[in-house]
Amino acid sequence: MKLEITYDHNDNKMVNEENPMRFITAAVATLALTVGAQVATAAPIEIKFSHVVAENTPKGQMANKFRDLVAERLAGKVVVNVFPSSQLFGDNKVLEAMLLGDVQMAAPSLSKFQKYTKSLQIFDLPFLFKDMDAVERFQQGPAGQKLLGSLANKGLVGLGYLHNGMKQLSASNELRVPADAAGRKFRIMTSDVLQAQFEAIDAVPLKKPFSEVFTLLQTRAIDGQENTWSNIYSKKFFEVQPFITESNHGVLDYLVVTSAEFWMELDDGLKADIKKALDEAIAFGNGVAADKGVSDKQAIIDSRRSQVVSITDAERSQWVDAMKPVWKQFEGQIGADLIEAAVAANK
Ligand code: SIN
């Protein structure tokens, strides 16, 4: 059936000469179809997830798992695009980019937030946590959960912690006691606590981005660095560092963050679905972290490229004695109560 439409200049509106009601019905149907088509074709919300490590690491695996869970459950509504290995932003720029809306999620190491909050510096204190179980107890306890909100006044939302593991010291010489590190250059993350930790043993700390570490080590521009087994393995630091001291002197974990602006604009249902997928991805990533703490260490040993140095209790005590005064140095910024809560998590 043909719909005849003319313009009635007297009345200033379009009419169907045959049947005006049919025109209105057809117009409403057309409008509904157009709106429906727009809804159906509306682009999904994009979450750009930027990180600096390789994909075969706890963080890389967690981010990919999150992407896959969102694709499975929220297809058409939300899409996660993961940018590993500093492809999009290095850790020193990613939070600024997030506040500008150029990236929606990241999981920088807890050592990289000092510009935004001093409280998270707690995680850098040397020899604070005896193992990863203690770290987990602290993070999931009341003090750790409160810390997730420590970035709120900076426009950032802490969505959850992710483990990597305990840090080891790699170097071009064998480090058994602090005196072996004296005068040597170590790359550190952008953390004043880590700077103080290396200064406490008369070493020379240099704040450098993760993406530059391999080249700095390879060219001998620096002597050593501190990192987890999975980062030392996945970034091949072990190939250019003949010694790795199993010091377990600190923790390298992450905070998954988003911007308050992005998060608040999501409707509650979607927010809950995204958070659920993220929590599951984090649990998966924590499993990967536990496994890699063992398997990547073994892979390094098997490679015979680097010697893993086990120190005695007496040698370890020397590191503890030299580095632990850093706690007092930062107690004012971090808070004595928070340090006490972290120590309590060791029991
Ligand atoms: C990371 O694990 O995200 C990087 C750690 C580092 O900068 O050493």
Side-chain angles (χ1 to χ4, degrees), residues 117-316:
T117 172
K118 299 292 176 211
S119 327
L120 291 175
Q121 292 183 119
I122 178 112
F123 291 99
D124 283 341
L125 294 179
F127 297 104
L128 179 63
F129 297 106
K130 72 171 186 198
D131 53 26
M132 291 308 293
D133 287 344
V135 174
E136 172 72 10
R137 277 193 293 274
F138 174 70
Q139 289 175 348
Q140 300 312 323
Q145 288 300 295
K146 198 166 159 211
L147 277 178
L148 288 177
S150 63
L151 301 159
N153 62 357
K154 298 288 190 257
L156 295 168
V157 181
L159 295 173
Y161 297 102
L162 170 72
H163 295 320
N164 186 328
M166 301 302 280
K167 289 182 290 187
Q168 321 302 334
L169 283 167
S170 77
S172 47
N173 65 315
E174 186 171 358
L175 304 175
R176 300 205 70 92
V177 292
D180 298 330
R184 299 192 179 266
K185 292 187 197 128
F186 287 85
R187 175 270 174 173
I188 55 164
M189 296 180 273
T190 47
S191 154
D192 291 347
V193 176
L194 298 180
Q195 182 176 338
Q197 168 193 279
F198 278 98
E199 285 169 353
I201 55 169
D202 297 324
V204 184
L206 297 165
K207 291 176 180 165
K208 295 284 179 191
F210 187 59
S211 54
E212 290 177 23
V213 181
F214 180 84
T215 308
L216 290 167
L217 294 171
Q218 190 184 36
T219 57
R220 295 288 178 111
I222 56 173
D223 301 293
Q225 62 88 47
E226 53 166 17
N227 233 303
T228 59
W229 290 116
S230 92
N231 281 349
I232 294 172
Y233 181 66
S234 61
K235 286 291 171 187
K236 303 189 189 306
F237 300 161
F238 71 101
E239 293 186 0
V240 289
Q241 291 273 267
F243 298 96
I244 304 170
T245 298
E246 190 165 19
S247 51
N248 291 314
H249 63 280
V251 62
L252 196 165
D253 267 13
Y254 306 110
L255 184 64
V256 184
V257 272
T258 187
S259 79
E261 195 180 336
F262 171 74
W263 196 241
M264 295 314 160
E265 272 175 13
L266 294 173
D267 77 56
D268 286 350
L270 213 48
K271 213 182 285 182
D273 290 342
I274 293 172
K275 181 69 167 61
K276 187 166 183 295
L278 182 67
D279 288 345
E280 288 177 36
I282 286 177
F284 173 77
N286 285 343
V288 174
D291 291 348
K292 285 198 163 287
V294 177
S295 64
D296 287 354
K297 174 185 163 189
Q298 192 56 47
I300 291 170
I301 294 170
D302 294 345
S303 78
R304 298 175 187 273
R305 301 288 293 266
S306 187
Q307 185 186 325
V308 174
V309 180
S310 301
I311 48 175
T312 64
D313 287 349
E315 286 166 338
R316 195 163 194 275

Side-chain angles (χ1 to χ4, degrees), residues 8 33 62 72 91 102 184 205 220 233 249 266 279 301 306 318 327 336 346:
D8 182 341
L33 275 174
M62 181 281 281
E72 234 173 78
D91 273 344
D102 293 336
R184 299 192 179 266
R220 295 288 178 111
Y233 181 66
H249 63 280
L266 294 173
D279 288 345
I301 294 170
S306 187
Q318 289 194 43
W327 295 21
N346 285 320

